[in-house]
Amino acid sequence: MARSKLGGFLIVLSLVAAGGMNAALTQIPRPIPKPIPKPLPKPKPAPQPRAPAPKAKPKPARSAPLPRRTATPPLPPSVQAHLASLCARTGARVGDAQASVESGDFNGDGQRDYFVDERRVRCAGTTRTYRPGDRFDARLFIAVGADAVARAQYRVLGAAVDRSAGFPSLWLEMDGVDCGNAPAGQRCRNRLAWDAARGTLSLAERVYVDASGRVSAQPAWPPIAASIPAEFAAGTIKLKKSGGCTRFYTLGGRAQVAQAVNQGDWNGAVRSVIDQGCSTNIAWFVLGAAAERFGRIDAARHYYTQAMELSLKPSLSNIYRICAGVNLPNPCLGMDVPTESARALGRLDAVQ
């Protein structure tokens, strides 16, 4: 009985103790649990660009049909005949006729014209019909109906067709009177363009080429010596009527002038004529020839006119007309002065 009470008491005591512990436990603050972070969402991968869909291969376009090659029209009969005449010099016939000419509408009428440069002419069995360095034939044929007519013809030192603007024009290298009578040894290049009013080519531009090949807008005239009076270049020089002619005809004055002329010493010739002062047609002619070679065209025209008029005045004694077709070649330097003076005036009138 006593063991049963003791046992019950222990049970009660254990229960009480257990309850107090539980109460104590309930009074101890419990740590607040840290919230567990939610895992971050995984970044979505950037969308990859889609590979472009393969383009369908385009169907090859049909190429446009090539234009039919039109046959080069045959050369006009007159052009063919001219080529044949050039080749006949070498005893050959014409080779490549089309390669021997340059064509173009030179006068603006819409028809094909032809420029024949002898250097281009191709004859069978040979390459040229002229010797290099010589002048050669250059002709422009203008279309007229089914044929062509040679409207311009030259003997030149060089030639080229200029197609830079408008209708084609020609550059021709020339010398002498074709250069406005430029000094001896100097060449010029004349650009000739079609002149509708005249129905042929006319000078459109000119440049000068000296012996070294330099090009300039003006010819290189030789200088007039400082000892020559300024009146000579102005065309106002005066010669005596008769006082100085004794020296000119009897004391070697004429030979002195002739020697200077033959040597090309135009300053010396002018100085001699002025110093002697003999007013004869040959003296005036020498002054005209010298003025022309110095580029004093107006003065030259005046002196040539004096020479011709003095030759043709019947009232003057023969001493002033001595070179007008009589007593040739002495003392007239081998010239018929009125004829040569008229020719010189015509040449100066043609100077552009």
Side-chain angles (χ1 to χ4, degrees), residues 263-282:
Q263 293 177 349
D265 178 13
W266 292 100
N267 280 302
V270 171
R271 182 76 267 172
S272 181
V273 168
I274 294 175
D275 287 347
Q276 296 178 64
C278 181
S279 180
T280 62
N281 52 11
I282 186 62

Side-chain angles (χ1 to χ4, degrees), residues 42-48:
K42 294 181 179 179
K44 295 182 180 180
Q48 297 294 328

Side-chain angles (χ1 to χ4, degrees), residues 167-241:
F167 301 124
S169 57
L170 299 177
W171 278 103
L172 303 179
E173 186 161 336
M174 308 170 111
D175 63 358
V177 295
D178 292 316
C179 296
N181 204 35
Q186 188 173 43
R187 299 180 178 184
C188 68
R189 293 172 187 165
N190 294 330
R191 187 172 71 84
L192 306 180
W194 186 256
D195 185 338
R198 296 176 56 193
T200 187
L201 294 171
S202 291
L203 180 67
E205 185 179 355
R206 172 181 289 155
V207 295
Y208 296 88
V209 186
D210 64 16
S212 64
R214 290 177 297 183
V215 177
S216 61
Q218 297 295 328
W221 298 108
I224 299 176
S227 62
I228 304 298
E231 291 82 0
F232 164 71
T236 59
I237 200 75
K238 303 293 184 182
L239 296 178
K240 299 174 184 179
K241 289 289 184 180

